[in-house]
Amino acid sequence: MSFSLPLKDPVPIFSLVLFIILLAPIILRKFRIPSIIGLILAGMAIGDHGFKIIEKGSIDLFGNAGLLYIMFLAGLELDMTEFRKNRHRSMVFGAFTFFIPLVLGYLLCTYVLHLSLMASLLISSMFATHTLVAYPLASRLGITKNEAVTVAVGGTIITDTAVLLILAIITGAEQGNLNTAFWLKLGISLAIFTVIVLWGFPAIGRWFFKKIKDDKTSHFIFVLALVFLAAFLAELAGVEAIIGAFLAGLALNQLIPHTSPLMNRIEFVGNALFIPFFLISVGMIVDLRVLLKGPEALIVAGALTAMALLSKWLAAFFTQLSFGYTATQRNVIFGLSSSHAAATIAVVLIGYNMGIINENVLNGTIVLILITCMVGSFVTENAGRKLAIREAEKKPEIAGGPEHFLIPIANPERMESLLDFALMVKNPANAAPVYPLVVVQDDEEAKEKIYISNKMMEKAVIHAAASESNVQVVTRVDLNVTDGISRAVKELLISDVVLGWSDKNSATDRLFGNIFGTTTDNVLQSVWETVYVCQFLHPINTTKKLVLVLPQNTEYELGFTHYVQKIILLAKQAGARVVVYSGARTQAAVQRFVTEAKASVELTFKKLDNLEDFLVLARNVSGDDLLVVVSARKGTLSYQPYLEGIPGRISRHFKDNNVILVYPEQRTTENNEPGMQEGDITLRPIQEQLMNINRIGKAVKRIFKGGEKRNPFEEEDAQ
């Protein structure tokens, strides 16, 4: 085999690029230089304009895939509830970051550089576009949920779409095809493309994930195939492929939970392979020798670069003024939106090939790409760190101490779904492990059963490792399963217990099966922490709507805020809206908690004063909905006799649905009984007495302050 430069054989090319991806970030990290810059500089060195180590075009396939991957991840990692809530802000930023560069760029090109009308329009539209080169930095810093990042990403797709439509119009005008047929074709094709991706892809994805449940490799390939299909359909519709990749991310956003193994695989492959290839390919385009071709090239390059950065900073500044963002958030928006790469290259190369712009503008644009990518990366890195620190400081303390999840396993087939549920509702900031538990009965076959159970639990460890989650398997030998679970809860300081729904026929056995062995009370009267009993017939990520049923007085239970917080987190992870069925007082308590916690969730309330109307829900619950019913232990404030028959009714009327029964945390007495028994006192006297005490207190306060004298009992009960 002969060895010559530039390299043409894919084996040494791939080997060299992998070593660059490995070493460049490690070396530049010592100099506090973002890894993105190192990859771009490495691309400059090995490319056609550097030492000519790699032949031009040899990594274009991976480079293009990396650009699509960046746009796909941007859509996939968006908090869709926040995105919908801030869509107007994204539109405002999109307008600023489109029109300000467009207008200022046109003035520069027309009155300073003295370019033609078409050239001025083309270059000014190039100023308006930008590429999310620095988005991986924001993702690594964990600030993608911040409103500044959400607005920047939303504005990116708006301005890039507008620019690429302008490019299509300019191209049509130059070719003489700008007629009614052109506009009609463009409008119809874009409409069909949007419907296929935003409505067709979720339906196809939901069907696929339901049918192919256990093949994780197929899940990844399926998602990747949809991304590139969407990119291809975008090109057929007359716009750039990056628009299709971003819309594919939005379409699949609700089907891929952020804590799932699939999401981990998607991010890993992108950050390890595709995105670095794209950054290296960007560096290979840069030609610093253009600066040596005379003063005109320097003037054009300087003018273009200065205008590109100034106009994007002004767009971020006016967005800050419009919505009251901090200077750090403004800098994050500027850092993300200041990098010019992919769409800019597409615009300039098309203009150059059509003879609209000359070589000086082309070379100046190459310098612009290098400088803006470096500036965007530095600004995003520095401002992102400050924003990440502030976000961490603002996070509320979780009441009740650290969370520890226990998952007693009786059926290995349900293990993965129960583990996925626990990881989805577990606080992401909590580093405590999840504990899968196997309880072995203490008899002559105990040793053999322990060995078999340990082999079975290896599957749980492997599954959790795919999502980089901390799992610690626990095995207990006890006289019976109930005692084993109860002791594990105490020893491990468990806060939440996740159980599987049995396939037995009777209501009680169906609920607890092999786990509890006798009756419901055996576990619920010995484990007072929050208990979830789960029936998962379909993957949780296929959930369209989460239906939450709350009994009367549940807002007065000790564990109310804890399980509401978990259900909201589950809805966000599953990308589902929440419909709450409860009484008016309970609805007010849920709304108050959501407001105080500033939780971004799409919440709808339906009145259900009497649980005996429970079966009315059946007509409003589809097969893609997740039914969550909050029950109660006997003798607690929210307990109602009707709740005892809920498991049987669910088994008959919701047998094809994913179902979760929640038993809230309770405080126990020395006799291991509920701290407040049914019949001792009722809720209405409690509420009335508390209100009376509150009114008297306010009246006394006004008297001491010399306030207006009036009857403290004139106020009406808001409830």
Side-chain angles (χ1 to χ4, degrees), residues 419-455:
L419 191 56
D420 285 340
F421 166 75
L423 295 175
M424 289 173 75
V425 300
K426 179 174 173 284
N427 178 20
N430 182 14
V434 172
Y435 298 97
L437 169 70
V438 173
V439 179
V440 176
Q441 193 168 359
D442 191 5
D443 55 24
E444 296 178 354
E445 300 177 353
K447 288 186 178 180
E448 183 180 350
K449 290 179 180 178
I450 291 175
Y451 176 78
I452 295 173
S453 64
N454 287 340
K455 294 293 290 183

Side-chain angles (χ1 to χ4, degrees), residues 257-271:
H258 292 173
T259 58
S260 65
L262 178 57
M263 185 66 172
N264 182 265
R265 292 184 180 98
I266 291 171
E267 289 182 331
F268 176 79
V269 172
N271 294 328

